[in-house]
Amino acid sequence: MTRLFNAFERMKRRRRCSKIMLEWFHPTKKIKSKLRRERRFKNRNRKARTDWSDKPWAKMLRTDEVKDPTTREGKYFRRRFRLPFPIFEKLIDLVRDLKWYPENNKTAPLELKILSVLRVLGRGGCFDDCWDGSGMHEETVRAFFHDFCEKFAQAFYDIFIKPPRSDEEIKKVERIYRILGFPGAIGSIDCVHIRWDKCPFHLRSSCKGKEGYPTLAYECCVDHTKRILSCTTSHYGARNDKTIVRYDGHVMNIKDDGLYSNKEFQLYNEDGSLTTHRGYYLICDGGYHKWRCLQCPLKHTSCEKTASWSCNLESVRKDVEDVFGILKKRFRLLCNAIELHSKDQIDNVFFTSCILHNILLSYDGYDKRWEEAYDWNESNPDDEYDDLYDGTQRRVMETRAMNRARNGNTPVAEGTMLRPFIADHIEEEVQTTHYELRRDLIVHHSVAR
């Protein structure tokens, strides 16, 4: 340490001596530690500020034809951006009221940014494809796309994607399935797989399932109008339906919550009497648990009644498959292999697509589709269904009575209406398991059809 200190002192003395010698030989020259450089003018070639009003999409928004969804330009607008112009205007006003993005003359208008988000969602292209219409660079579109999807999903998920909670909403959903021959059903449930092209290497084994490539799975519950009632966050593709359903809060509420488990519905017995069951259920495929709240069709059976019931149940369950097809065809980003690295970003994209799907469903009026009489080719579906119950019950009771008469038990003339006997039918309230409820549903289907 002493040697180092001595060497440092010698170096300082040498520098001091050199400075003194220079002043002796050049007395007019000033010694400076740092020479000040002259500032040179640099031509930065600054470009003029971007004229956003001259971009193709901005010109399109100023036309009057595009504002009418029934015109040719209005239909083109919906086909290109997946939303009709009135919904697009409401979306712009909503985002401005929430003050998510401050607007000024230096940045691109909010209309062009949201159009870029809709173009990427609808066409499934890369972010650079929006340059031709909006004039925004790839990085600008990418940053705004992820930020908008995150805020949009967090703000509007609970508003547009929600299961029925009130008694009126629950009866409205159950009524459609009751007319279709499945009293007590309040939705269909299944999982959809989205291909993850940028899956990290350490997650490939967890995400690669039956498809043979990495995927993310989402479980959705929909009603017969194809409205999405609930959706889980993404699960790795190697997980099966039995594992994913345990993390679905909506299914757990139907299984345990008294709002759904205490609701009553009636099914026919073989003799035409009614039995009251308690607890609603969902329609699913054969890959789920054999819970009472999950009813699935049978794949192999030798019973004609069971085969007919399974065939009818499979056709009703296609509503959830139709929703997955609509989502992937309407928002092509979900159909193609998603080239996003973050799992959370993919969740925001999927939730945003589901929210827009429900918004379009209400705009087109499809959420009211099965409420009108002409949708069922009947004057009044509720009255007709009640008449079906009464007529089926009457025919069954008369047939039973005629068989007893032929066997010599009770002399009854043909065509006699046994109203006292029909009025005294047994109405029993039971708590069933999965297999018992399925058996009762098969009997109800064979009697009521």
Side-chain angles (χ1 to χ4, degrees):
M1 191 68 183
T2 306
R3 293 181 180 179
L4 182 63
F5 179 76
N6 295 335
F8 183 71
E9 290 295 331
R10 287 195 299 270
M11 183 176 63
K12 288 171 63 177
R13 285 196 297 270
R14 290 196 191 99
R15 289 184 178 179
R16 195 179 302 114
C17 294
S18 300
K19 186 176 180 181
I20 294 174
M21 293 295 293
L22 285 175
E23 290 179 354
W24 284 352
F25 290 102
H26 302 279
T28 59
K29 187 175 181 180
K30 297 181 179 180
I31 307 300
K32 297 182 179 180
S33 59
K34 294 183 180 180
L35 298 177
R36 185 176 180 180
R37 298 179 181 179
E38 296 181 1
R39 186 174 180 179
R40 299 178 181 178
F41 174 76
K42 185 177 181 180
N43 187 10
R44 300 182 182 275
N45 295 325
R46 294 181 178 179
K47 297 181 181 180
R49 183 172 294 175
T50 304
D51 186 9
W52 300 107
S53 62
D54 194 40
K55 301 302 177 183
W57 288 355
K59 293 180 180 179
M60 175 193 62
L61 294 177
R62 290 196 298 269
T63 59
D64 296 333
E65 291 80 5
V66 75
K67 299 179 181 180
D68 187 3
T70 60
T71 61
R72 178 185 178 185
E73 297 298 329
K75 294 178 180 179
Y76 278 161
F77 181 86
R78 178 166 183 174
R79 191 179 70 179
R80 292 164 180 164
F81 302 102
R82 298 302 189 262
L83 290 183
F85 192 82
I87 299 297
F88 172 73
E89 283 186 324
K90 292 181 180 179
L91 182 61
I92 293 295
D93 296 338
L94 190 61
V95 173
R96 281 178 175 159
D97 293 340
L98 294 175
K99 298 180 180 180
W100 285 350
Y101 307 102
E103 297 185 73
N104 49 56
N105 297 330
K106 298 181 180 179
T107 60
L110 183 61
E111 291 84 355
L112 297 183
K113 292 181 179 180
I114 294 184
L115 284 179
S116 301
V117 174
L118 298 176
R119 171 57 67 89
V120 174
L121 280 175
R123 295 292 178 88
C126 60
F127 299 116
D128 189 50
D129 291 343
C130 300
W131 164 262
D132 298 333
S134 65
M136 293 187 295
H137 291 279
E138 176 183 6
E139 182 60 23
T140 303
V141 177
R142 186 200 66 81
F144 183 82
F145 177 83
H146 293 306
D147 187 66
F148 176 81
C149 289
E150 180 181 0
K151 293 180 178 179
F152 189 78
Q154 291 178 356
F156 300 107
Y157 180 86
D158 295 332
I159 299 176
F160 293 100
I161 300 180
K162 56 182 180 179
R165 300 298 299 177
S166 63
D167 293 340
E168 182 181 356
E169 293 175 349
I170 294 175
K171 290 180 180 179
K172 178 182 176 182
V173 176
E174 191 269 341
R175 168 184 167 274
I176 299 177
Y177 288 100
R178 176 163 49 87
I179 298 176
L180 292 172
F182 298 97
I186 55 169
S188 302
I189 189 172
D190 201 3
C191 291
V192 58
H193 288 260
I194 307 298
R195 185 169 182 174
W196 192 7
D197 192 57
K198 296 295 184 180
C199 176
F201 182 78
H202 67 280
L203 294 177
R204 284 187 173 270
S205 60
S206 300
C207 296
K208 187 182 295 185
K210 60 181 180 180
E211 286 78 12
Y213 47 81
T215 61
L216 291 176
Y218 297 87
E219 186 174 76
C220 297
C221 179
V222 305
D223 60 10
H224 199 64
T225 62
K226 296 178 178 58
R227 182 170 61 95
I228 300 177
L229 304 178
S230 67
C231 179
T232 63
T233 56
S234 60
H235 294 264
Y236 297 141
R239 294 182 179 179
N240 56 17
D241 297 345
K242 291 184 178 181
T243 303
I244 297 176
V245 73
R246 293 183 178 274
Y247 297 93
D248 193 339
H250 180 54
V251 177
M252 293 296 106
N253 289 335
I254 295 177
K255 182 182 178 183
D256 303 325
D257 192 359
L259 181 63
Y260 302 99
S261 60
N262 293 333
K263 295 295 182 181
E264 296 180 351
F265 61 95
Q266 292 181 335
L267 298 177
Y268 277 126
N269 297 324
E270 292 183 356
D271 58 355
S273 61
L274 293 175
T275 301
T276 301
H277 291 257
R278 180 180 296 175
Y280 285 168
Y281 59 91
L282 296 170
I283 302 174
C284 63
D285 56 17
Y288 283 85
H289 294 284
K290 296 300 183 288
W291 292 344
R292 185 196 177 281
C293 63
L294 300 175
Q295 293 296 322
C296 63
L298 294 178
K299 188 175 182 180
H300 304 287
T301 179
S302 58
C303 179
E304 182 180 356
K305 296 180 181 179
T306 305
S308 177
W309 174 81
S310 298
C311 182
N312 192 12
L313 186 65
E314 287 177 358
S315 64
V316 175
R317 197 192 68 84
K318 293 304 179 183
D319 48 13
V320 65
E321 304 291 350
D322 293 342
V323 170
F324 295 154
I326 292 172
L327 281 176
K328 289 188 176 183
K329 289 300 181 181
R330 176 176 285 162
F331 305 104
R332 301 289 295 179
L333 187 62
L334 303 177
C335 184
N336 303 331
I338 294 185
E339 297 184 354
L340 299 179
H341 295 273
S342 175
K343 180 171 171 287
D344 295 335
Q345 291 178 352
I346 300 177
D347 288 351
N348 295 329
V349 169
F350 188 82
F351 294 154
T352 301
S353 302
C354 293
I355 294 171
L356 294 177
H357 167 81
N358 283 357
I359 293 175
L360 291 174
L361 198 73
S362 300
Y363 175 79
D364 296 330
Y366 290 128
D367 58 338
K368 311 288 186 183
R369 185 174 184 180
W370 302 108
E371 296 181 3
E372 301 296 336
Y374 59 81
D375 293 326
W376 302 97
N377 292 327
E378 300 169 359
S379 58
N380 193 334
D382 284 336
D383 296 342
E384 188 72 19
Y385 191 68
D386 294 338
D387 294 341
L388 175 65
Y389 260 54
D390 297 338
T392 303
Q393 180 181 350
R394 188 182 305 110
R395 289 193 300 270
V396 171
M397 294 303 179
E398 288 183 357
T399 303
R400 298 288 184 182
M402 292 301 300
N403 292 335
R404 292 193 184 98
R406 291 191 182 95
N407 294 333
N409 296 333
T410 307
V412 179
E414 260 186 65
T416 303
M417 304 298 292
L418 303 179
R419 297 187 182 277
F421 179 71
I422 296 175
D424 295 336
H425 68 275
I426 301 174
E427 185 170 334
E428 181 184 3
E429 181 179 344
V430 295
Q431 292 289 343
T432 58
T433 62
H434 169 84
Y435 300 99
E436 293 173 349
L437 178 59
R438 184 176 67 187
R439 179 197 61 198
D440 295 340
L441 288 172
I442 295 173
V443 172
H444 170 85
H445 180 266
S446 63
V447 173
R449 66 175 178 172

